[in-house]
Amino acid sequence: MADGMTTERDPATGLERQPVIDEEIRETSHKYDVAGFEELQPRRDYPPYRSSLLRHPTKDLQQVDPEGIELWAPVFGRRDVGELESDLTIQRGGEPIGARIVVTGRVVDGEGRPVRHQLVEVWQANAGGRYIHQRDQHPSPLDPHFTGMGRCLTDAEGRYRFTTIKPGPYPWRNHHNAWRPAHIHFSVFGTDFTQRLVTQMYFPGDPLFALDPIYQSIVDPRARERLVATYDHDLTQHQWATGYRWDIVLTGTHRTPLESDFEEDQS
Amino acid sequence: MTATPTPIPTAGQTVGPFFHFALTYDGDSELVPRGAPGSVRLHGTVTDGAGEPVPDALLELWQADESGAVVQRAGSLGRDGWTFTGFGRSATDAEGRYSFTTLVPGEAAPFFAIAVFARGLTHRLFTRAYLPGASDALLERLDPARRATLLAAADADGLVFDVRLQGDGETVFLDFGDE
Ligand SMILES: [Fe+2]
């Protein structure tokens, strides 16, 4: 078995090599294709993402109709989110290093209705792939002018908009030489608590997609691709920033919409 | 109105290990100030399939007020110390423990709604922390051992509700028909 060890694990780090993970990803993907049953959400039990092994429920989720509080979402307002919090390039008294970008899109519910005046939170690594988080040990510099977190409220059409810098890819210890594709973490609320979503937005054409077990934990290729933003030259601003568009669709509301939910349709 | 195709829900992804600097904030877990009249502590430990504490989980709490009414008031991120908003967050500590200071929801609403996020958890999980002695259609459908995982227990500090992601005593997680 010594040979197996040297081919499967890096001798220096003792971590499994990329081909071991690739093979598992391929196998799962093939089984999914053959099964022919569409899965829109990631597998919670996705062995190539090693941290999922002990952190996924093994029993079926309990089917239940949402009740009471679950049919509503918390409300956020100007008291919670300042106007400037959507610009991640002005938070630390100087220009962060990196390619300035604008990221915008709409948050809609499962029926395509805008989610209005609701909280969107983002967080990300800096241009060098380093998080401000204390436990991020990636030997890449912190940027004194970049924290990498932002918030905004959607407008009456469900639109959000952030100005930031393009995050870098970063290494992690899922396996030897594991690198995450560049991404921005998104946290979104709907009109019902049942619509609560935390996800990640990616950038088009990233060469790390095929190698990344977190991206691949969504086994449906089209569902994965929906997490990739679109470069939009109409959003790109002359001499200032390139633009990316990414829309977020939540699950359907379970609450019978009230008249007041539509009142702004007329405005 | 023209018919538009039903949009397809966006997939979730793990919250990852580095969410603290963005999602947690001063006063996040204190829906009411500590020691406020009627305040209670809702706390517990998040454990994995090996029974080990999960030090990088985030719990969100969303609940009715003391009269059982749903609150629709801003101020969960910018707390003023007076407005009960019904929403809070608590990241687990190095021992996997979370803790909220809150009010007991009124009789009409016998549970706290909880969303669980963690590194290693690819998509959020929903559960309910029912008040001790609560009973409803969902609880009655479950066998007693499973039911027990949804019932908070009274202790000297308030209410204990542990979350076991996997294995013995695995918490009942919910699917509202959207999974
Ligand atoms: Fe990340």
Side-chain angles (χ1 to χ4, degrees), chain A residues 55 58 70 72 196 202, chain B residues 13 60 62 119 128 170:
Chain A
R55 293 184 171 193
T58 52
E70 290 159 342
W72 299 82
R196 186 76 180 90
Y202 298 88
Chain B
Q13 290 267 265
E60 283 186 349
W62 173 229
R119 178 180 69 84
R128 293 174 178 175
E170 183 176 300

Side-chain angles (χ1 to χ4, degrees), chain A residues 123-125 131 168 170 180-185 200 202 214, chain B residues 14-19:
Chain A
W123 69 104
Q124 63 170 88
Y131 283 92
Y170 62 84
R180 296 291 334 277
H183 59 274
I184 300 178
H185 295 265
Q200 302 180 23
Y202 298 88
I214 291 183
Chain B
T14 181
V15 75
F18 301 135
F19 58 82

Side-chain angles (χ1 to χ4, degrees), chain B residues 7 18 30 41 43 48 53 64 67 76 86 95 101 107 128-129 131 133 135 140 145-146 156-157 167 176 179:
Chain B
F18 301 135
E30 296 188 3
R41 184 177 185 218
H43 65 120
D48 69 13
S67 74
S76 294
E95 293 172 322
T101 309
E107 255 176 64
R128 293 174 178 175
L131 298 172
S135 178
E140 279 162 27
R146 297 280 287 150
D157 293 329
F176 298 114
E179 290 283 326

Side-chain angles (χ1 to χ4, degrees), chain A residues 38 40-46 49 51-81 108-113 119 121-125 131-133 135-137 147-151 170 180 185 187 189 191 193-200 202 212 214-218 223-224 226-227 246-252 254-255, chain B residues 4-25 47-50 53-58 60-65 69-80 83 85-87 89 92 109-115 117-128 130 136-138 141-142 146 165-179:
Chain A
E38 191 177 33
L40 296 176
Q41 293 296 340
R43 295 246 175 113
R44 291 193 179 88
D45 178 10
Y46 191 69
Y49 178 24
S51 305
S52 79
L53 287 169
L54 290 170
R55 293 184 171 193
H56 70 271
T58 52
K59 300 199 163 46
D60 289 341
L61 302 191
Q62 180 66 40
Q63 299 279 333
V64 66
D65 290 329
E67 288 173 52
I69 194 77
E70 290 159 342
L71 296 168
W72 299 82
V75 169
F76 299 93
R78 282 286 153 229
R79 179 194 301 182
D80 299 298
V81 184
V108 299
D109 72 11
E111 287 75 41
R113 290 183 296 243
L119 178 66
E121 296 160 286
V122 295
W123 69 104
Q124 63 170 88
Y131 283 92
I132 204 163
H133 196 287
R135 275 186 292 175
D136 185 358
Q137 300 297 314
T147 56
M149 71 86 79
R151 294 174 180 147
Y170 62 84
R180 296 291 334 277
H185 295 265
S187 162
F189 290 79
T191 53
F193 197 58
T194 59
Q195 295 168 311
R196 186 76 180 90
L197 182 71
V198 167
T199 186
Q200 302 180 23
Y202 298 88
D212 177 36
I214 291 183
Y215 181 69
Q216 297 288 334
S217 68
I218 304 162
R224 282 199 297 272
R226 282 191 284 270
L227 298 191
W246 187 54
D247 294 330
I248 300 167
V249 181
L250 304 180
T251 53
H254 292 269
R255 177 157 47 98
Chain B
T4 46
T6 308
I8 301 165
T10 303
Q13 290 267 265
T14 181
V15 75
F18 301 135
F19 58 82
H20 300 78
F21 76 98
L23 296 184
T24 68
Y25 52 92
T47 47
D48 69 13
V54 175
D56 38 22
L58 179 75
E60 283 186 349
L61 175 64
W62 173 229
Q63 65 164 100
D65 69 12
V70 174
V71 176
Q72 293 283 274
R73 277 194 293 261
S76 294
L77 300 182
R79 296 205 193 278
D80 63 10
T83 308
T85 65
F87 177 78
R89 283 181 178 150
T92 54
F111 62 82
F112 301 92
I114 288 174
F117 307 87
R119 178 180 69 84
L121 179 61
T122 60
H123 192 35
R124 89 277 171 278
L125 287 165
F126 293 114
T127 188
R128 293 174 178 175
Y130 281 86
D136 74 356
L138 170 64
R141 273 212 306 281
L142 298 168
R146 297 280 287 150
L165 293 174
Q166 186 186 94
D168 277 349
E170 183 176 300
T171 299
V172 171
F173 297 105
L174 306 176
D175 174 3
F176 298 114
D178 305 318
E179 290 283 326

Side-chain angles (χ1 to χ4, degrees), chain A residues 159-172:
Chain A
R159 282 186 302 243
Y160 71 86
R161 183 186 180 94
F162 292 99
T163 303
T164 184
I165 52 106
K166 199 171 181 191
Y170 62 84
W172 59 311

